Amino acid sequence: MGYLQQFIFFILVALPFMFISPTHSSLANGNVNILPPTNTSDKVTLALYYETLCPYCADFITNDLVKVFLSDLYTIVNLKLVPWGNADILGDEPLCQHGEDECYLNTIHSCVIYYWPDVKKHFDFIRCTEQQSSKKRLVKNRAAMWKQCSEKLGMSAHRINKCYTFGYGLKLLLQYANETAKLKPPHEYVPWVVVDNQPLKDDFENFVKYVCEAYKGADKPEACKTQATSVGSTHDKMANRIHPGCYASEIANLG
């Protein structure tokens, strides 16, 4: 009878550890890897290199990139979001174009992308926070900008905050820094949009066209069949814009 009680006790103690995610436990041990698995399908890789407090990035994410999920375009897209932008590294710490708040939010985004790898899930969070950042004067503090979104989307604010506080988020963010530094050609500004390793530069708002052209699958989604008639005057729009994005050389004026 004593052996049976010991066996039951062992099972009860060991049971919680049987369900720990290897990915998250590896993060706690410092073995961070944000690189996605190799994409072997016909999907087109659409990558956005951005920073959280750049108004051009906020506008693109909330009004343009969302089209991926407002149509069936998502069925052919492998969307990749890289929250580093024009930041630099000073010593061991990131130095962001729009100040400490941007470094903070870049790190929060890194944590959410890691802990909620479903792209629709973390995109909804990122879009929500970008909408909040555009109303910065109406938000009490930087944490409020993302906590409202995590609550709305049912994400654990405790998990996100722990990721930031314990330094896991910084490790993730520095990997995004390394990924951004490897861009060829280097990015000139953000938002910097890349389709299958080809930068779109000033035509980034017209990304749907490039995704559809790059897709080699048999059946193209409806979004590709209708995009030709709905592209609009993107080139005229970009020609009239003094700055198509946030440049590293610019002095941020968040007044």
Side-chain angles (χ1 to χ4, degrees):
M1 190 68 176
Y3 289 109
L4 179 60
Q5 289 177 332
Q6 291 178 12
F7 178 74
I8 293 173
F9 175 77
F10 172 78
I11 292 296
L12 291 175
V13 170
L15 190 60
F17 297 96
M18 296 170 63
F19 297 97
I20 292 177
S21 166
T23 302
H24 295 167
S25 62
S26 65
L27 177 58
N29 291 328
N31 301 319
V32 183
N33 184 11
I34 59 172
L35 297 178
T38 303
N39 183 27
T40 57
S41 70
D42 291 326
K43 285 190 173 185
V44 177
T45 297
L46 170 63
L48 170 66
Y49 296 79
Y50 73 103
E51 56 194 27
T52 52
L53 293 184
C54 170
Y56 292 105
C57 293
D59 179 69
F60 178 71
I61 289 169
T62 57
N63 298 313
D64 294 296
L65 194 58
V66 68
K67 294 174 186 174
V68 171
F69 301 105
L70 295 180
S71 66
D72 56 352
L73 190 67
Y74 73 92
T75 61
I76 66 167
V77 166
N78 173 32
L79 180 61
K80 185 178 179 182
L81 300 163
V82 184
W84 178 256
N86 297 321
D88 202 349
I89 299 174
L90 186 63
D92 295 327
E93 298 295 324
L95 182 66
C96 295
Q97 182 176 15
H98 299 90
E100 291 182 7
D101 282 357
E102 183 166 76
C103 284
Y104 171 77
L105 286 172
N106 286 352
T107 307
I108 293 296
H109 280 202
S110 301
C111 289
V112 169
I113 293 169
Y114 184 84
Y115 278 109
W116 286 272
D118 179 86
V119 68
K120 179 64 167 61
K121 188 75 172 177
H122 64 244
F123 176 80
D124 284 346
F125 176 88
I126 289 168
R127 183 176 183 232
C128 178
T129 57
E130 290 301 282
Q131 288 172 325
Q132 292 294 323
S133 69
S134 64
K135 306 172 186 175
K136 190 176 180 182
R137 292 179 181 86
L138 303 178
V139 180
K140 293 181 180 179
N141 57 65
R142 63 186 189 179
M145 280 196 284
W146 66 264
K147 286 187 176 179
Q148 293 175 12
C149 297
S150 65
E151 181 179 348
K152 176 183 175 182
L153 297 168
M155 295 175 165
S156 170
H158 173 74
R159 171 180 281 184
I160 298 169
N161 194 58
K162 183 178 178 181
C163 174
Y164 176 82
T165 305
F166 282 71
Y168 306 151
L170 179 59
K171 294 177 182 179
L172 295 168
L173 185 62
L174 292 178
Q175 286 202 30
Y176 285 128
N178 186 51
E179 187 174 344
T180 303
K182 290 180 178 179
L183 278 170
K184 294 186 182 300
H187 79 286
E188 300 169 20
Y189 50 79
V190 289
W192 189 255
V193 181
V194 178
V195 173
D196 276 356
N197 297 317
Q198 297 299 314
L200 305 191
K201 298 190 175 182
D202 286 359
D203 207 19
F204 62 87
E205 290 178 327
N206 207 7
F207 71 92
V208 176
K209 180 187 78 170
Y210 293 95
V211 167
C212 293
E213 288 176 352
Y215 181 62
K216 305 305 180 186
D219 298 317
K220 292 197 173 185
E222 284 299 316
C224 291
K225 297 174 184 176
T226 59
Q227 68 86 28
T229 60
S230 61
V231 165
S233 56
T234 302
H235 289 287
D236 293 339
K237 187 176 180 182
M238 298 308 295
N240 294 328
R241 182 180 289 178
I242 298 174
H243 299 294
C246 292
Y247 289 80
S249 58
E250 291 178 345
I251 298 176
N253 180 14
L254 302 181

